[in-house]
Amino acid sequence: MSAQPTATTAVYRVTGMTCGHCESAVRTELAGLAGVTSVRAVAATGEVTVVSAAPLDEEAVRAAVDEAGYELTGRA
């Protein structure tokens, strides 16, 4: 049997999201990172859940969130 790759899930805190448009902007930027398979952003909680094939570089995540116009404050 060959080992199947295991997806990695990380939850980040993002400040500044207030609506669905904000969620969409953050989702779009993070979905563009290599290996990302799923992104769920929730403005009400400020949490962004990212599922990827391998752990992501936090600086890459920060840069993508910055590009969307919001601030990554760390892991949830």
Side-chain angles (χ1 to χ4, degrees):
M1 286 190 195
S2 63
Q4 293 296 317
T6 303
T8 300
T9 301
V11 181
Y12 299 96
R13 290 233 174 258
V14 176
T15 59
M17 295 189 301
T18 59
C19 64
H21 175 71
C22 300
E23 294 169 348
S24 178
V26 170
R27 268 196 316 269
T28 299
E29 289 298 329
L30 289 172
L33 295 177
V36 172
T37 57
S38 170
V39 180
R40 180 172 181 259
V42 181
T45 62
E47 289 187 352
V48 178
T49 304
V50 181
V51 179
S52 57
L56 297 173
D57 175 63
E58 191 160 326
E59 286 309 308
V61 174
R62 184 176 307 281
V65 171
D66 286 349
E67 184 66 28
Y70 305 95
E71 182 181 358
L72 177 72
T73 58
R75 295 268 186 134

